[in-house]
């Protein structure tokens, strides 16, 4: 059986690498949340930048988390683009209320992040 080469190589990259990237996002998020003490409760004279997890500071973990989140969004958009025919085919069979609600909730969440007031 011959391998299907009709789809670009980036298509396969978006399929399985989304999982790996989501694991990195979760890992960095948990490290930021659980492994660094609350910065506002530090005693005077304690430098918050002195805390290190796996050799990286809090600032570096935040950068890792942000960059991989952006990469995840880009790969998700590419994944949806490369699978648009399948999505149209499945969507044309039956309009699923759960899918519509999920899309609307996703849009609301994204817009809430964009419209968030400054800190």
């Amino acid at each position: 059986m011959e391998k299907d080469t009709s789809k670009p190589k980036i298509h396969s990259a978006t399929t399985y690498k989304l999982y790996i990237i989501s694991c990195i996002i979760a890992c960095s998020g948990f490290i930021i949340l659980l492994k660094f003490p609350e910065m506002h409760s530090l005693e005077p004279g304690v430098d918050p930048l002195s805390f290190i997890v796996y050799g990286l500071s809090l600032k570096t973990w935040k950068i890792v988390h942000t960059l991989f989140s952006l990469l995840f969004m880009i790969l998700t958009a590419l994944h949806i683009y490369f699978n648009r025919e399948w999505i149209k085919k499945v969507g044309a069979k039956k309009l699923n209320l759960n899918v519509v609600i999920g899309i609307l909730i996703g849009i609301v969440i994204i817009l809430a992040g964009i419209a968030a007031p400054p800190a």
Side-chain angles (χ1 to χ4, degrees):
M1 187 179 336
E2 287 189 37
K3 184 178 178 183
D4 179 17
T5 58
S6 62
K7 294 181 181 177
K9 287 184 180 182
I10 191 130
H11 177 268
S12 63
T14 63
T15 301
Y16 70 93
K17 289 183 181 169
L18 282 170
Y19 171 72
I20 300 299
I21 290 171
S22 66
C23 290
I24 293 170
I25 293 168
C27 174
S28 61
F30 283 128
I31 287 172
I32 291 167
L33 179 68
L34 302 174
K35 298 301 179 182
F36 287 96
E38 292 293 330
M39 294 299 129
H40 64 272
S41 65
L42 291 176
E43 297 175 11
V46 176
D47 179 15
L49 298 178
S50 66
F51 294 100
I52 302 293
V53 175
Y54 293 129
L56 302 176
S57 67
L58 174 61
K59 182 178 181 179
T60 306
W61 278 112
K62 287 181 176 181
I63 291 169
V64 167
H65 189 71
T66 301
L67 290 177
F68 276 92
S69 296
L70 292 172
L71 181 60
F72 181 83
M73 289 188 290
I74 292 166
L75 284 177
T76 299
L78 286 171
H79 183 75
I80 291 169
Y81 174 77
F82 289 128
N83 290 291
R84 66 189 179 281
E85 294 303 320
W86 179 83
I87 293 168
K88 288 179 192 175
K89 189 186 316 179
V90 170
K93 289 181 181 178
K94 180 181 176 185
L95 184 59
N96 187 330
L97 184 60
N98 289 335
V99 172
V100 172
I101 291 171
I103 290 171
L104 290 176
I105 290 172
I107 290 170
V108 168
I109 291 169
I110 291 168
L111 290 176
I114 291 169

